[in-house]
Amino acid sequence: MHSHHNGLKTAALLGLLTAMILGVGYWFGGSAGLVVAVLLSLGMNAAGYFWSDRIALRSMNAQPVGEAEFPALYRMVRELSAEAGQPMPRLYVSPALQPNAFATGRDPQHAAVAVTAGITRLLDYRELRAVIGHELSHVYNRDILISSVAAGLAGIITMLANLALFVPLGGGDDDDAPNPAVLLFMLILGPIAASVVQLAISRNREFEADASGARLTGDPLALAEALRKISYGAQRLPLPADAKVASSAHLMIANPLSGGGLSALFSTHPPMEERVRRLREMAAQSY
């Protein structure tokens, strides 16, 4: 069900993206600069989509591991994949001491699940199994696909906003001068709208992955306790906010970066307290 809904969301975003390109293209009157901007943005985001797993894994210095190195972890990933009727993803471990985990890959056939060394030391077997269920659900729900499409939408809006600085948009008294109202919209409202789309999708997908992951493992309370521990551990050991980590932060089960104020407002993760509350309610309803 979640995968079906996410497919509809992806189609809607693609439709919005196409409409935006056509509308702005008409406004620009077939500008060659617009064509270059759109093609460049699409090319960059397509590369990010197809190689997103490598980029994310490299950002955390994650290394592939097998059953010999992490037998219990490997076994739980294999068993949960079999339970879901899906191929087993590649398994990676990052040396980071912060407790965290993420999944990447555009579909179950190209998926990877990564955990940090910190999370394997902090959580017990049930809790770690619940986290793996959450991460596998991201793959099965096609969340990575949605993120890629949303990123493409944001990238094109931002590139068009930059292009608006140099290309006349028409509508003013001077044919060579850009329309101030359109310029304001493109430079301010456009990027904000794109960010809101990305953040809304990212926040919703965490709730969905919590719920579907808890159903896969049959243990919502274990995931609730794992999230509580991970949140505390991530706050105590925040990762450096460099470009590599920031680009993959939205993939992780908990926000790996420190921050408050406006940075908290634009966080790609919903409040941990709300996630824990929903999982506990889910557990209560199952009894």
Side-chain angles (χ1 to χ4, degrees), residues 51-123:
W51 298 326
S52 61
D53 54 346
R54 301 179 189 178
I55 296 171
L57 293 167
R58 190 177 298 114
S59 72
M60 292 295 293
N61 297 318
Q63 301 298 319
V65 297
E67 189 169 9
E69 296 107 321
F70 289 85
L73 179 63
Y74 190 93
R75 184 168 61 252
M76 67 177 66
V77 174
R78 181 178 58 201
E79 291 175 354
L80 288 173
S81 300
E83 177 71 20
Q86 298 285 353
M88 180 174 172
R90 292 166 290 146
L91 183 59
Y92 288 76
V93 173
S94 164
L97 295 179
Q98 182 193 93
N100 227 314
F102 65 94
T104 186
R106 60 187 182 273
D107 54 45
Q109 287 72 38
H110 300 86
V113 171
V115 299
T116 63
I119 203 173
T120 64
R121 300 171 186 173
L122 178 67
L123 304 185

Side-chain angles (χ1 to χ4, degrees), residues 115 162 250:
V115 299
N162 294 332
H250 67 285

Side-chain angles (χ1 to χ4, degrees), residues 50-278:
F50 286 109
W51 298 326
S52 61
D53 54 346
R54 301 179 189 178
I55 296 171
L57 293 167
R58 190 177 298 114
S59 72
M60 292 295 293
N61 297 318
Q63 301 298 319
V65 297
E67 189 169 9
E69 296 107 321
F70 289 85
L73 179 63
Y74 190 93
R75 184 168 61 252
M76 67 177 66
V77 174
R78 181 178 58 201
E79 291 175 354
L80 288 173
S81 300
E83 177 71 20
Q86 298 285 353
M88 180 174 172
R90 292 166 290 146
L91 183 59
Y92 288 76
V93 173
S94 164
L97 295 179
Q98 182 193 93
N100 227 314
F102 65 94
T104 186
R106 60 187 182 273
D107 54 45
Q109 287 72 38
H110 300 86
V113 171
V115 299
T116 63
I119 203 173
T120 64
R121 300 171 186 173
L122 178 67
L123 304 185
D124 63 25
Y125 185 89
R126 278 183 58 211
E127 293 161 354
L128 186 56
R129 182 175 180 271
V131 168
I132 295 300
H134 169 99
E135 297 305 333
L136 289 176
S137 293
H138 273 310
V139 178
Y140 305 153
N141 292 347
R142 302 301 197 273
D143 289 331
I144 308 302
L145 176 61
I146 294 179
S147 296
S148 298
V149 173
L153 174 60
I156 288 181
I157 290 178
T158 302
M159 189 163 288
L160 291 176
N162 294 332
L163 193 63
L165 286 171
F166 307 103
V167 179
L169 299 180
D173 296 332
D174 184 351
D175 290 338
D176 294 329
N179 185 317
V182 176
L183 198 60
L184 178 66
F185 176 79
M186 293 297 292
L187 292 178
I188 300 177
L189 299 184
I192 290 177
S195 297
V196 168
V197 169
Q198 286 183 288
L199 296 178
I201 291 173
S202 184
R203 284 173 175 256
N204 287 336
R205 74 178 189 168
E206 290 301 326
F207 287 130
E208 292 178 358
D210 286 343
S212 54
R215 283 192 291 270
L216 176 60
T217 62
D219 201 350
L221 285 180
L223 181 55
E225 182 61 16
L227 291 177
R228 187 188 66 80
K229 289 183 178 180
I230 292 169
S231 178
Y232 178 73
Q235 291 173 8
R236 289 192 61 192
L237 295 169
L239 295 180
D242 57 31
K244 291 194 304 179
V245 175
S247 67
S248 301
H250 67 285
L251 294 173
M252 300 187 191
I253 193 169
N255 184 6
L257 308 174
S258 63
L262 288 177
S263 63
L265 177 64
F266 290 98
S267 171
T268 58
H269 294 75
M272 193 62 77
E273 296 81 3
E274 177 64 14
R275 295 171 66 182
V276 170
R277 184 189 67 80
R278 292 190 184 196

